[in-house]
Amino acid sequence: MNFSTEIRYLKGVGSVRAEGLHKLGIDTVGALLRYYPRAYEDWSKVYTIREAPLNENICIKATVCDTPSKVRIKGNKFISKTTVTDGVGLMTLTFFNNKYINTMLKEGEEYYFFGKVTMNRYAGREMASPVFQKAQKDAKIRPIYPQNSAINSKFIEKCVETAFANIDEIPEYMPERMISGNGLCPLDYTIRNIHFPESYQALAKARDRLIFDELFALELGLLSIKNRTHTLKTGCIIKKDFTDEFVRCLPFKLTGAQTRSIGEALGDMKRDEPMNRLLQGDVGSGKTAVAAALIYTMAKNGFQSAMMAPTEVLAEQHYATFQKLFKDTDIKIVLLTGSMKAAEKKAAKQALASGEAALAIGTHALIQQDVEYNSLGLVITDEQHRFGVAQRSSLAAKGDNPHIYVMSATPIPRTLAMMMYGDLNVSVLDELPPGRKAVETYQVGSEYHARIYSYIKKYLDDGAQGYVVCPLIEEGELDITPAEEYYKILSQGEFADYRVGLLHGQMKPADKERIMRDFANGVIQLLVSTVVIEVGVDVPNAAIMVIENAERFGLSQLHQLRGRIGRGERKSTCVLVSDAQNEEATARFRVMCETSDGFRIANEDLRLRGPGDFFGKRQHGLPKLALADILTDTELLMKAQREACAVIENDRDLSKPENAKLRRQVDYMFRESYGI
Ligand code: ADP
Ligand code: MG
């Protein structure tokens, strides 16, 4: 028998149970040994009946005093009771509907009982439905496996036991130097102890080794993917950096973070490999100026740039910004969006094809087939999480492997970003431009609505604009007012004298664009909307935001929303309306009221929700990790990173024969998520 032996040939399994195991993803002996316990029961520490702590899962060694007797209760149900003793204390055991218990527990025999001891006023100490085994076996730490309706944990435990009895030593795939160098234990010891730990120390060592292996394979995979893209050559190498000239266009001085990020990107673009870089910066951190600097240098080096925005209105806004910024230069800019007139589009396309225009700003219209570029060298996408990978690469195909620059406001802790975008380099704008006023944030209960409305009116009367944000609701939820309805209530009631607009996800794209444009132009004073404004327009005049049922929003989402205000001269206010009392919601509100630092908020969000939820349904492209947690296993992560770099340095794409075993590990891990 070996790792690839089919599971149905394992003694005691057979074809029916093999089907059940298959549903758990276990088809071979190897997969069985990689099916790790989700928890352990400690049978190694044995208590006496009197000393056993109450209400905790513990183990007691005791002798059965009498054969269990049945008592019928309601319907067909019955309970069985018996008494056990360890010579000093007495304890009652109860079992529910267990037909065989009187044949399984024999009078006068000694067993280990595992379960919770409770204190019953009349009957004294009691244990309900304990797990038990004959006392002659050695008590140990026992594995608990994730189970399904066909296969229970105990059966898996038996299978693993059988497998261990029938295989030879598990072969090591990692070089000895790496094992001893990082204080790890050998693979055979690891696999045996993750299933049947000799002790808790042994279990901890086994876990460390497996976590290291996971992170090592992950790092190795990410690095080799990175190197695969590195084999591309670009024809868009810049010869000279024109940033010094560019800053003269700016009405302000660049922040240190902006200067650093520009330098990092230009450094990439001087090489003969296409840049693939992510710029991460909180809302308002000044990503546009960084993009402008890169576009400027590209233009001066004779290359065109394309900047793609997720909405037409945002594209129009960028267009206006760049026109102003580049007005004293010879850089010609064209706008290209779907709703432009045919003649305008034609003129724009012509200017791009001839090379007359150095910058194209637009929506996905920029990557339509009929758009030709003369010398496309740089592609910038704004708010990348709204763009598909396919769209990005089709734009990239329009030049001679142009550089790609992705800008995102989603604040992700740096370590995580490095992992997620393993095939991207990352720059971080961790510094806001000076003089930014923090948005004052309050949390109030719904009884404050009258005051909130008059507060909004104060802002509107003063010439400012505002948002009212409603949560998305699931069908059948009655306790929350949907945005459409709330819009009616406000526009016909409290705000009948104001210009109120409605924006939500189900509207037609053209209608959405129209509403956003009206809001950007000041035609709409108060915008009632759902989260669609997350990636919205830049309206510096918007200074108040009220978020209804704020408990419905995640911390990062609240922060993203709040980023829509506080962009202008006015003092801005954000009001979180919620009657929620639960600890998690109040913790989120507290963080929101205390800070506007996007990275701190992202960290808090991770802490409150855990990385799984943090990314939610978003596709982050990382392989699933069985044991490792990239947020908390930082020490092992660093070790794994170091070792992976060392391996890759000698063998860029893991093709050398001595790394064949490592390569297999990587392929195994990445197969699902990358399809390789
Ligand atoms: P975001 O990162 O959200 O895209 P923007 O690029 O829109 O941010 O910048 C937000 C505002 O800050 C803009 O009005 C911009 O002109 C201004 N700004 C950007 N950089 C600086 C700076 N270094 N000093 C002062 N103001 C700046
Ligand atoms: Mg922006």
Side-chain angles (χ1 to χ4, degrees):
M1 188 161 75
N2 58 37
F3 277 12
S4 48
T5 303
E6 284 178 45
I7 200 70
R8 66 193 156 108
Y9 297 128
L10 190 73
K11 195 167 148 269
V13 176
S15 57
V16 175
R17 283 188 159 132
E19 190 50 38
L21 287 166
H22 169 76
K23 291 204 178 101
L24 293 172
I26 303 170
D27 291 317
T28 60
V29 171
L32 174 70
L33 295 183
R34 285 195 176 274
Y35 193 77
Y36 305 135
R38 64 167 174 80
Y40 300 86
E41 280 176 355
D42 192 355
W43 292 58
S44 66
K45 185 165 173 43
V46 178
Y47 287 92
T48 62
I49 291 172
R50 291 227 178 126
E51 282 168 0
L54 297 179
N55 303 312
E56 275 174 39
N57 277 315
I58 49 91
C59 183
I60 284 174
K61 190 178 183 184
T63 305
V64 175
C65 301
D66 40 31
T67 306
S69 55
K70 273 194 213 173
V71 181
R72 195 160 287 280
I73 48 174
K74 263 184 283 176
N76 277 337
K77 302 199 169 80
F78 60 91
I79 50 178
S80 310
K81 277 183 187 284
T82 183
T83 310
V84 296
T85 180
D86 57 8
V88 183
L90 284 174
M91 178 169 75
T92 307
L93 305 182
T94 40
F95 297 89
F96 298 91
N97 287 335
N98 190 330
K99 271 189 251 170
Y100 306 107
I101 199 69
N102 48 353
T103 60
M104 290 160 83
L105 279 180
K106 298 215 171 68
E107 190 180 320
E109 298 220 7
E110 202 178 24
Y111 297 85
Y112 291 110
F113 297 100
F114 190 89
K116 279 183 189 154
V117 181
T118 54
M119 191 62 110
N120 183 311
R121 199 138 41 105
Y122 306 105
R125 286 183 167 79
E126 201 171 16
M127 200 182 251
S129 310
V131 187
F132 56 89
Q133 74 176 40
K134 272 275 185 60
Q136 66 244 35
K137 270 200 198 169
D138 262 357
K140 53 191 178 182
I141 301 172
R142 290 183 52 184
I144 309 287
Y145 296 93
Q147 48 191 22
N148 63 18
S149 54
I151 301 291
N152 65 22
S153 174
K154 223 168 172 171
F155 180 72
I156 298 171
E157 183 183 347
K158 259 205 131 107
C159 290
V160 175
E161 228 164 26
T162 312
F164 277 140
N166 288 292
I167 51 164
D168 300 330
E169 193 179 302
I170 299 167
E172 185 58 67
Y173 69 91
M174 205 177 263
E176 167 54 30
R177 175 197 54 74
M178 210 190 295
I179 295 173
S180 51
N182 290 293
L184 302 171
C185 53
L187 193 60
D188 184 67
Y189 177 92
T190 300
I191 300 292
R192 288 177 197 270
N193 275 280
I194 202 75
H195 290 286
F196 302 118
E198 287 165 11
S199 65
Y200 277 103
Q201 284 99 308
L203 176 60
K205 278 196 92 69
R207 281 185 65 91
D208 272 5
R209 165 71 203 260
L210 291 176
I211 289 171
F212 178 89
D213 284 22
E214 266 188 352
L215 294 173
F216 176 67
L218 179 67
E219 285 290 339
L220 214 50
L222 293 175
L223 285 172
S224 68
I225 288 170
K226 206 170 189 168
N227 277 341
R228 255 171 261 172
T229 57
H230 276 192
T231 51
L232 288 179
K233 292 278 175 264
T234 179
C236 318
I237 306 167
I238 55 168
K239 303 247 154 52
K240 189 167 177 281
D241 175 347
F242 285 85
T243 307
D244 289 343
E245 205 177 291
F246 163 75
V247 294
R248 280 184 243 138
C249 302
L250 285 175
F252 47 74
K253 206 171 151 282
L254 290 173
T255 63
Q258 282 171 322
T259 306
R260 190 186 63 229
S261 299
I262 294 167
E264 286 167 354
L266 292 179
D268 289 355
M269 294 194 274
K270 284 177 183 161
R271 299 207 200 98
D272 60 357
E273 296 160 1
M275 166 170 75
N276 200 16
R277 185 173 280 277
L278 169 74
L279 174 67
Q280 219 175 45
D282 210 350
V283 279
S285 58
K287 293 186 287 294
T288 317
V290 175
L294 307 185
I295 291 165
Y296 190 90
T297 287
M298 281 313 272
K300 293 294 163 188
N301 278 274
F303 294 107
Q304 292 173 304
S305 299
M307 183 154 167
M308 195 151 66
T311 65
E312 291 203 353
V313 184
L314 208 56
E316 283 167 21
Q317 282 196 330
H318 278 319
Y319 181 66
T321 306
F322 279 93
Q323 289 255 296
K324 212 154 86 190
L325 195 60
F326 290 149
K327 69 176 184 304
D328 296 326
T329 72
D330 54 1
I331 298 175
K332 186 172 156 55
I333 312 167
V334 294
L335 177 70
L336 193 59
T337 63
S339 66
M340 274 164 49
K341 290 200 194 81
E344 292 170 339
K345 276 190 206 166
K346 197 171 160 211
K349 282 184 217 163
Q350 231 151 30
L352 289 173
S354 69
E356 183 198 347
L359 171 59
I361 297 178
T363 53
H364 56 274
L366 287 182
I367 53 173
Q368 237 83 89
Q369 266 203 329
D370 57 345
V371 185
E372 267 175 54
Y373 293 84
N374 179 274
S375 54
L376 182 62
L378 171 65
V379 176
I380 299 175
T381 69
D382 198 1
E383 306 295 354
Q384 68 102 39
H385 51 290
R386 297 295 191 272
F387 277 115
V389 176
Q391 282 174 313
R392 283 211 307 273
S393 54
S394 91
L395 187 46
K398 288 191 174 294
D400 184 4
N401 283 322
H403 303 292
I404 296 184
Y405 201 59
V406 173
M407 306 198 292
S408 171
T410 314
I412 300 164
R414 199 187 171 100
T415 49
L416 213 48
M418 301 298 264
M419 304 288 297
M420 278 175 58
Y421 299 105
D423 57 340
L424 281 187
N425 292 308
V426 183
S427 295
V428 182
L429 287 181
D430 49 7
E431 180 187 352
L432 286 184
R436 233 358 105 66
K437 288 182 219 107
V439 176
E440 275 181 35
T441 305
Y442 307 96
Q443 193 258 312
V444 297
S446 59
E447 75 275 14
Y448 275 75
H449 266 119
R451 283 171 68 177
I452 295 169
Y453 295 148
S454 63
Y455 199 62
I456 297 176
K457 282 180 195 164
K458 240 185 17 222
Y459 269 96
L460 303 189
D461 292 342
D462 200 30
Q465 289 164 275
Y467 296 96
V468 175
V469 186
C470 304
L472 290 172
I473 55 168
E474 315 267 320
E475 230 173 67
E477 277 186 308
L478 300 173
D479 50 337
I480 290 176
T481 320
E484 291 96 318
E485 208 163 306
Y486 200 40
Y487 162 73
K488 273 187 212 144
I489 295 171
L490 291 183
S491 60
Q492 290 165 15
E494 203 59 53
F495 291 91
D497 298 335
Y498 296 83
R499 300 183 303 276
V500 187
L502 169 69
L503 187 70
H504 63 80
Q506 272 79 56
M507 288 164 63
K508 287 198 201 104
D511 291 335
K512 277 193 239 176
E513 296 279 357
R514 182 174 48 76
I515 296 288
M516 282 198 263
R517 192 169 293 126
D518 284 351
F519 189 64
N521 296 336
V523 174
I524 292 171
Q525 292 174 287
L526 184 65
L527 187 62
V528 179
S529 86
T530 56
V531 287
V532 290
I533 57 158
E534 229 184 357
V535 184
V537 282
D538 196 2
V539 184
N541 193 40
I544 175 136
M545 175 176 286
V546 175
I547 303 179
E548 300 282 349
N549 296 92
E551 74 282 356
R552 289 301 193 97
F553 299 87
L555 190 47
S556 293
Q557 203 171 24
L558 288 173
H559 175 70
Q560 275 315 88
L561 287 169
R562 183 173 60 178
R564 297 285 117 218
I565 57 171
R567 301 178 149 235
E569 295 296 305
R570 282 178 211 275
K571 182 199 106 187
S572 298
T573 308
C574 177
V575 185
L576 309 173
V577 187
S578 175
D579 296 326
Q581 300 291 338
N582 67 70
E583 217 170 286
E584 238 202 284
T586 44
R588 267 179 269 155
F589 300 152
R590 197 167 49 242
V591 176
M592 281 296 289
C593 295
E594 266 172 27
T595 184
S596 52
D597 175 346
F599 283 91
R600 204 195 127 194
I601 286 178
N603 276 316
E604 291 285 338
D605 202 13
L606 273 170
R607 215 174 46 76
L608 290 172
R609 293 202 283 166
D613 276 351
F614 182 78
F615 294 108
K617 294 190 191 78
R618 191 183 308 150
Q619 181 67 42
H620 59 67
L622 270 190
K624 203 163 150 268
L625 299 172
L627 294 170
D629 178 343
I630 43 186
L631 282 173
T632 52
D633 294 320
T634 24
E635 201 179 314
L636 286 166
L637 178 63
M638 268 149 56
K639 283 183 182 173
Q641 237 158 9
R642 203 165 46 231
E643 293 292 353
C645 285
V647 171
I648 288 290
E649 207 150 279
N650 287 314
D651 184 7
R652 281 171 72 97
D653 54 0
L654 288 183
S655 58
K656 291 190 181 167
E658 70 258 34
N659 289 326
K661 282 182 187 165
L662 294 181
R663 172 83 198 226
R664 247 202 328 269
Q665 289 290 316
V666 172
D667 289 349
Y668 178 80
M669 174 174 245
F670 278 76
R671 199 173 38 213
E672 273 176 32
S673 39
Y674 282 81
I676 53 176

Short mmCIF file of all heavy atoms in Angstrom, two decimals, residues 250-256 258 279 281-290 318 321 382-383 407-409 429 432-436 538 540 563-564 567, ligand 1:
data_model
loop_
_atom_site.label_atom_id
_atom_site.label_comp_id
_atom_site.label_asym_id
_atom_site.label_seq_id
_atom_site.Cartn_x
_atom_site.Cartn_y
_atom_site.Cartn_z
N LEU A 250 1.83 71.13 -11.12
CA LEU A 250 0.97 70.89 -9.96
C LEU A 250 0.75 72.14 -9.12
O LEU A 250 1.69 72.91 -8.90
CB LEU A 250 1.58 69.81 -9.06
CG LEU A 250 1.51 68.35 -9.51
CD1 LEU A 250 2.30 67.50 -8.53
CD2 LEU A 250 0.07 67.88 -9.61
N PRO A 251 -0.47 72.34 -8.64
CA PRO A 251 -0.73 73.47 -7.75
C PRO A 251 -0.29 73.18 -6.31
O PRO A 251 -0.51 74.00 -5.43
CB PRO A 251 -2.26 73.64 -7.83
CG PRO A 251 -2.77 72.28 -8.16
CD PRO A 251 -1.70 71.60 -8.96
N PHE A 252 0.26 72.00 -6.06
CA PHE A 252 0.69 71.66 -4.69
C PHE A 252 2.00 70.89 -4.75
O PHE A 252 2.46 70.50 -5.83
CB PHE A 252 -0.38 70.84 -3.98
CG PHE A 252 -0.93 69.71 -4.82
CD1 PHE A 252 -0.18 68.56 -5.05
CD2 PHE A 252 -2.22 69.80 -5.39
CE1 PHE A 252 -0.68 67.52 -5.81
CE2 PHE A 252 -2.72 68.75 -6.16
CZ PHE A 252 -1.95 67.62 -6.38
N LYS A 253 2.57 70.67 -3.58
CA LYS A 253 3.81 69.90 -3.49
C LYS A 253 3.44 68.44 -3.25
O LYS A 253 2.56 68.14 -2.46
CB LYS A 253 4.63 70.43 -2.29
CG LYS A 253 6.11 70.23 -2.41
CD LYS A 253 6.82 71.00 -1.27
CE LYS A 253 8.12 70.30 -0.89
NZ LYS A 253 7.97 69.12 -0.04
N LEU A 254 4.13 67.53 -3.93
CA LEU A 254 3.84 66.10 -3.74
C LEU A 254 4.17 65.68 -2.31
O LEU A 254 5.11 66.19 -1.70
CB LEU A 254 4.68 65.26 -4.70
CG LEU A 254 4.33 65.33 -6.19
CD1 LEU A 254 5.37 64.58 -7.01
CD2 LEU A 254 2.94 64.75 -6.45
N THR A 255 3.42 64.75 -1.79
CA THR A 255 3.77 64.19 -0.48
C THR A 255 4.94 63.22 -0.67
O THR A 255 5.23 62.78 -1.79
CB THR A 255 2.60 63.40 0.14
OG1 THR A 255 2.32 62.27 -0.70
CG2 THR A 255 1.35 64.25 0.29
N GLY A 256 5.58 62.88 0.43
CA GLY A 256 6.69 61.93 0.38
C GLY A 256 6.25 60.61 -0.22
O GLY A 256 6.96 60.00 -1.03
N GLN A 258 3.81 60.06 -2.29
CA GLN A 258 3.58 60.20 -3.74
C GLN A 258 4.90 60.15 -4.50
O GLN A 258 5.03 59.43 -5.49
CB GLN A 258 2.85 61.52 -4.04
CG GLN A 258 1.35 61.46 -3.73
CD GLN A 258 0.69 62.84 -3.81
OE1 GLN A 258 1.29 63.84 -3.41
NE2 GLN A 258 -0.53 62.88 -4.30
N LEU A 279 -1.00 50.35 -7.06
CA LEU A 279 -0.86 51.50 -6.16
C LEU A 279 -2.04 51.47 -5.22
O LEU A 279 -3.20 51.53 -5.62
CB LEU A 279 -0.87 52.82 -6.94
CG LEU A 279 -0.86 54.07 -6.04
CD1 LEU A 279 0.45 54.20 -5.28
CD2 LEU A 279 -1.13 55.34 -6.84
N GLY A 281 -3.89 53.24 -2.12
CA GLY A 281 -3.96 54.47 -1.33
C GLY A 281 -5.38 54.73 -0.92
O GLY A 281 -6.31 54.56 -1.71
N ASP A 282 -5.52 55.13 0.31
CA ASP A 282 -6.82 55.43 0.86
C ASP A 282 -7.52 56.49 0.02
O ASP A 282 -6.88 57.21 -0.74
CB ASP A 282 -6.58 55.98 2.27
CG ASP A 282 -7.74 55.66 3.18
OD1 ASP A 282 -8.77 55.18 2.67
OD2 ASP A 282 -7.61 55.88 4.39
N VAL A 283 -8.83 56.59 0.17
CA VAL A 283 -9.55 57.64 -0.54
C VAL A 283 -8.94 58.99 -0.18
O VAL A 283 -8.66 59.27 0.98
CB VAL A 283 -11.06 57.64 -0.18
CG1 VAL A 283 -11.80 56.60 -0.99
CG2 VAL A 283 -11.27 57.43 1.30
N GLY A 284 -8.70 59.82 -1.19
CA GLY A 284 -8.16 61.15 -0.95
C GLY A 284 -6.66 61.20 -0.77
O GLY A 284 -6.10 62.25 -0.46
N SER A 285 -5.97 60.08 -0.95
CA SER A 285 -4.53 60.08 -0.71
C SER A 285 -3.76 60.66 -1.90
O SER A 285 -2.55 60.85 -1.82
CB SER A 285 -4.04 58.67 -0.38
OG SER A 285 -4.36 57.78 -1.44
N GLY A 286 -4.45 60.94 -3.00
CA GLY A 286 -3.79 61.59 -4.13
C GLY A 286 -3.23 60.64 -5.17
O GLY A 286 -2.13 60.86 -5.70
N LYS A 287 -3.98 59.63 -5.51
CA LYS A 287 -3.52 58.67 -6.50
C LYS A 287 -3.46 59.29 -7.90
O LYS A 287 -2.61 58.96 -8.70
CB LYS A 287 -4.44 57.43 -6.51
CG LYS A 287 -4.36 56.63 -5.22
CD LYS A 287 -5.17 55.35 -5.28
CE LYS A 287 -6.66 55.56 -5.21
NZ LYS A 287 -7.14 56.09 -3.93
N THR A 288 -4.40 60.23 -8.15
CA THR A 288 -4.46 60.83 -9.49
C THR A 288 -3.16 61.54 -9.85
O THR A 288 -2.68 61.44 -10.98
CB THR A 288 -5.64 61.82 -9.57
OG1 THR A 288 -6.76 61.23 -8.93
CG2 THR A 288 -5.98 62.14 -11.00
N ALA A 289 -2.58 62.24 -8.88
CA ALA A 289 -1.35 62.97 -9.15
C ALA A 289 -0.21 62.01 -9.49
O ALA A 289 0.65 62.30 -10.33
CB ALA A 289 -0.97 63.85 -7.95
N VAL A 290 -0.20 60.85 -8.83
CA VAL A 290 0.82 59.85 -9.12
C VAL A 290 0.65 59.36 -10.56
O VAL A 290 1.61 59.29 -11.33
CB VAL A 290 0.74 58.66 -8.13
CG1 VAL A 290 1.73 57.57 -8.52
CG2 VAL A 290 1.00 59.14 -6.71
N HIS A 318 -12.06 62.74 -14.48
CA HIS A 318 -10.62 62.62 -14.70
C HIS A 318 -10.20 63.47 -15.89
O HIS A 318 -9.17 64.14 -15.86
CB HIS A 318 -10.22 61.17 -14.96
CG HIS A 318 -10.06 60.35 -13.71
ND1 HIS A 318 -9.46 60.82 -12.58
CD2 HIS A 318 -10.41 59.06 -13.44
CE1 HIS A 318 -9.45 59.88 -11.65
NE2 HIS A 318 -10.03 58.79 -12.14
N THR A 321 -9.97 67.03 -14.90
CA THR A 321 -8.80 67.22 -14.03
C THR A 321 -7.51 67.28 -14.85
O THR A 321 -6.67 68.16 -14.66
CB THR A 321 -8.69 66.06 -13.02
OG1 THR A 321 -9.92 65.93 -12.33
CG2 THR A 321 -7.56 66.29 -12.02
N ASP A 382 -8.31 52.46 -12.72
CA ASP A 382 -8.70 53.06 -11.45
C ASP A 382 -9.72 52.14 -10.80
O ASP A 382 -10.62 51.65 -11.45
CB ASP A 382 -9.33 54.44 -11.74
CG ASP A 382 -9.36 55.30 -10.49
OD1 ASP A 382 -8.88 54.86 -9.44
OD2 ASP A 382 -9.86 56.44 -10.59
N GLU A 383 -9.56 51.92 -9.51
CA GLU A 383 -10.48 51.06 -8.77
C GLU A 383 -10.57 49.69 -9.44
O GLU A 383 -11.61 49.25 -9.88
CB GLU A 383 -11.89 51.68 -8.70
CG GLU A 383 -11.91 53.08 -8.13
CD GLU A 383 -11.49 53.14 -6.66
OE1 GLU A 383 -11.28 52.07 -6.05
OE2 GLU A 383 -11.37 54.25 -6.14
N MET A 407 -4.71 51.12 -9.75
CA MET A 407 -4.87 51.94 -8.55
C MET A 407 -6.10 51.45 -7.78
O MET A 407 -7.15 51.22 -8.36
CB MET A 407 -5.07 53.40 -8.94
CG MET A 407 -3.96 53.92 -9.83
SD MET A 407 -3.90 55.71 -9.88
CE MET A 407 -5.41 56.09 -10.72
N SER A 408 -5.94 51.31 -6.48
CA SER A 408 -7.05 50.82 -5.68
C SER A 408 -7.14 51.53 -4.35
O SER A 408 -6.13 51.82 -3.72
CB SER A 408 -6.90 49.32 -5.45
OG SER A 408 -7.85 48.90 -4.52
N ALA A 409 -8.36 51.81 -3.94
CA ALA A 409 -8.56 52.47 -2.65
C ALA A 409 -8.92 51.46 -1.57
O ALA A 409 -9.13 51.83 -0.43
CB ALA A 409 -9.66 53.52 -2.76
N LEU A 429 0.42 54.44 -0.75
CA LEU A 429 0.34 55.84 -0.36
C LEU A 429 -0.15 55.88 1.09
O LEU A 429 -1.34 55.85 1.35
CB LEU A 429 -0.64 56.62 -1.24
CG LEU A 429 -0.22 56.93 -2.67
CD1 LEU A 429 -1.30 57.73 -3.39
CD2 LEU A 429 1.09 57.70 -2.70
N LEU A 432 -1.51 61.11 3.87
CA LEU A 432 -2.52 61.97 3.23
C LEU A 432 -1.91 63.33 2.95
O LEU A 432 -1.03 63.79 3.67
CB LEU A 432 -3.73 62.13 4.14
CG LEU A 432 -4.70 60.95 4.27
CD1 LEU A 432 -5.87 61.34 5.13
CD2 LEU A 432 -5.17 60.45 2.91
N PRO A 433 -2.37 64.01 1.88
CA PRO A 433 -1.90 65.38 1.65
C PRO A 433 -2.19 66.24 2.88
O PRO A 433 -3.15 65.98 3.59
CB PRO A 433 -2.74 65.85 0.46
CG PRO A 433 -3.16 64.60 -0.23
CD PRO A 433 -3.29 63.57 0.83
N PRO A 434 -1.35 67.25 3.10
CA PRO A 434 -1.51 68.05 4.32
C PRO A 434 -2.82 68.84 4.33
O PRO A 434 -3.41 69.10 3.29
CB PRO A 434 -0.30 68.99 4.27
CG PRO A 434 0.11 69.03 2.84
CD PRO A 434 -0.23 67.69 2.27
N GLY A 435 -3.27 69.19 5.52
CA GLY A 435 -4.43 70.08 5.66
C GLY A 435 -5.76 69.38 5.49
O GLY A 435 -6.79 70.03 5.43
N ARG A 436 -5.74 68.05 5.37
CA ARG A 436 -7.00 67.31 5.25
C ARG A 436 -7.76 67.39 6.56
O ARG A 436 -7.20 67.12 7.61
CB ARG A 436 -6.67 65.86 4.98
CG ARG A 436 -7.23 65.10 3.83
CD ARG A 436 -8.17 65.73 2.94
NE ARG A 436 -7.57 66.07 1.66
CZ ARG A 436 -7.13 65.18 0.81
NH1 ARG A 436 -7.22 63.90 1.06
NH2 ARG A 436 -6.61 65.56 -0.32
N ASP A 538 -16.34 62.17 -7.62
CA ASP A 538 -15.70 63.06 -6.68
C ASP A 538 -16.52 64.33 -6.62
O ASP A 538 -16.54 65.11 -7.56
CB ASP A 538 -14.28 63.33 -7.20
CG ASP A 538 -13.42 63.92 -6.12
OD1 ASP A 538 -13.89 64.07 -4.97
OD2 ASP A 538 -12.26 64.25 -6.42
N PRO A 540 -16.64 67.37 -4.31
CA PRO A 540 -16.06 68.04 -3.14
C PRO A 540 -17.10 68.81 -2.33
O PRO A 540 -16.90 69.08 -1.15
CB PRO A 540 -15.03 69.00 -3.74
CG PRO A 540 -14.80 68.54 -5.12
CD PRO A 540 -16.03 67.83 -5.57
N GLY A 563 -15.52 57.98 2.66
CA GLY A 563 -14.53 58.62 1.80
C GLY A 563 -15.13 59.49 0.71
O GLY A 563 -14.45 60.28 0.07
N ARG A 564 -16.46 59.35 0.48
CA ARG A 564 -17.14 60.19 -0.52
C ARG A 564 -17.26 61.63 -0.05
O ARG A 564 -17.49 62.54 -0.84
CB ARG A 564 -18.55 59.66 -0.82
CG ARG A 564 -18.61 58.29 -1.41
CD ARG A 564 -18.23 58.29 -2.85
NE ARG A 564 -17.04 57.49 -3.07
CZ ARG A 564 -16.08 57.79 -3.92
NH1 ARG A 564 -16.16 58.87 -4.64
NH2 ARG A 564 -15.04 57.02 -4.05
N ARG A 567 -13.97 65.88 1.00
CA ARG A 567 -13.04 66.08 -0.11
C ARG A 567 -12.88 67.55 -0.47
O ARG A 567 -12.13 67.89 -1.37
CB ARG A 567 -13.51 65.29 -1.33
CG ARG A 567 -13.62 63.83 -1.04
CD ARG A 567 -14.14 63.07 -2.22
NE ARG A 567 -13.56 61.74 -2.19
CZ ARG A 567 -12.87 61.18 -3.18
NH1 ARG A 567 -12.71 61.82 -4.30
NH2 ARG A 567 -12.35 60.00 -3.04
P1 ADP B 1 -7.67 59.55 -4.61
O1 ADP B 1 -6.45 58.88 -4.10
O2 ADP B 1 -8.86 59.29 -3.76
O3 ADP B 1 -7.91 59.30 -6.07
P2 ADP B 1 -7.27 62.21 -5.53
O4 ADP B 1 -6.16 61.92 -6.45
O5 ADP B 1 -8.62 62.43 -6.11
O6 ADP B 1 -7.37 61.09 -4.42
O7 ADP B 1 -6.85 63.45 -4.63
C1 ADP B 1 -7.74 63.99 -3.70
C2 ADP B 1 -7.54 65.47 -3.62
O8 ADP B 1 -6.29 65.78 -3.02
C3 ADP B 1 -7.56 66.14 -4.96
O9 ADP B 1 -8.36 67.29 -4.87
C4 ADP B 1 -6.09 66.49 -5.21
O10 ADP B 1 -5.96 67.64 -5.98
C5 ADP B 1 -5.55 66.70 -3.82
N1 ADP B 1 -4.13 66.41 -3.67
C6 ADP B 1 -3.48 65.32 -4.18
N2 ADP B 1 -2.16 65.34 -3.82
C7 ADP B 1 -1.98 66.44 -3.06
C8 ADP B 1 -0.85 67.01 -2.38
N3 ADP B 1 0.36 66.43 -2.41
N4 ADP B 1 -1.04 68.15 -1.70
C9 ADP B 1 -2.26 68.73 -1.63
N5 ADP B 1 -3.36 68.26 -2.26
C10 ADP B 1 -3.24 67.12 -2.96
#
